[in-house]
Amino acid sequence: MLPTENRLRRREDFATAVRRGRRAGRPLLVVHLRSGATDPHASGESAPPTRAGFVVSKAVGGAVVRNQVKRRLRHLVRDRLPALPPGSLVVVRALPGAGDADHAQLARDLDAALQRLLGGGAR
């Protein structure tokens, strides 16, 4: 489970990450990252936390499958939050193949996408 301060909830924040951030696509998911975005809703005493949101459409599968994919992605992103710049907005969009993928496959695609977005990987 993601802590409350690390959850992306507002529609505007999702739109900011998707429209103004960088994108890295993998076979099972697409990751949008807006690095170091300032949060207009946060108080200014410290660096804002990194926040993450998830998009899992009906193309992934039924309700049970979608919720399972969301739980797996939340768990994977929670472990990777310290590696992301403070104040970043991350949106992970699951693609249809994610419903059939296991935890290790999702982790591999997420790591590859984040590595590319953070400058560690070539196109």
Side-chain angles (χ1 to χ4, degrees):
M1 191 67 138
L2 277 176
T4 302
E5 66 269 7
N6 295 117
R7 294 183 194 162
L8 201 59
R9 294 185 180 194
R10 293 186 173 94
R11 179 183 174 129
E12 304 86 39
D13 295 337
F14 274 88
T16 298
V18 171
R19 292 185 184 140
R20 296 185 183 161
R22 297 178 61 216
R23 179 183 71 209
R26 303 296 304 156
L28 300 176
L29 48 89
V30 177
V31 179
H32 299 269
L33 175 68
R34 168 91 174 165
S35 295
T38 57
D39 182 9
H41 310 291
S43 56
E45 59 260 2
S46 65
T50 299
R51 295 181 298 145
F54 305 92
V55 178
V56 183
S57 74
K58 288 185 179 181
V60 173
V64 173
V65 174
R66 291 194 312 268
N67 285 322
Q68 182 180 36
V69 169
K70 279 188 274 191
R71 283 193 305 271
R72 286 178 178 171
L73 290 173
R74 272 197 305 264
H75 177 76
L76 291 168
V77 169
R78 182 190 66 198
D79 294 340
R80 288 151 180 83
L81 283 177
L84 298 171
S88 296
L89 302 177
V90 180
V91 173
V92 180
R93 182 168 47 97
L95 297 176
D100 298 326
D102 65 5
H103 190 79
Q105 292 170 318
L106 288 172
R108 189 171 49 249
D109 274 8
L110 181 63
D111 287 337
L114 288 175
Q115 182 179 10
R116 180 172 161 203
L117 288 171
L118 295 173
R123 286 188 161 200

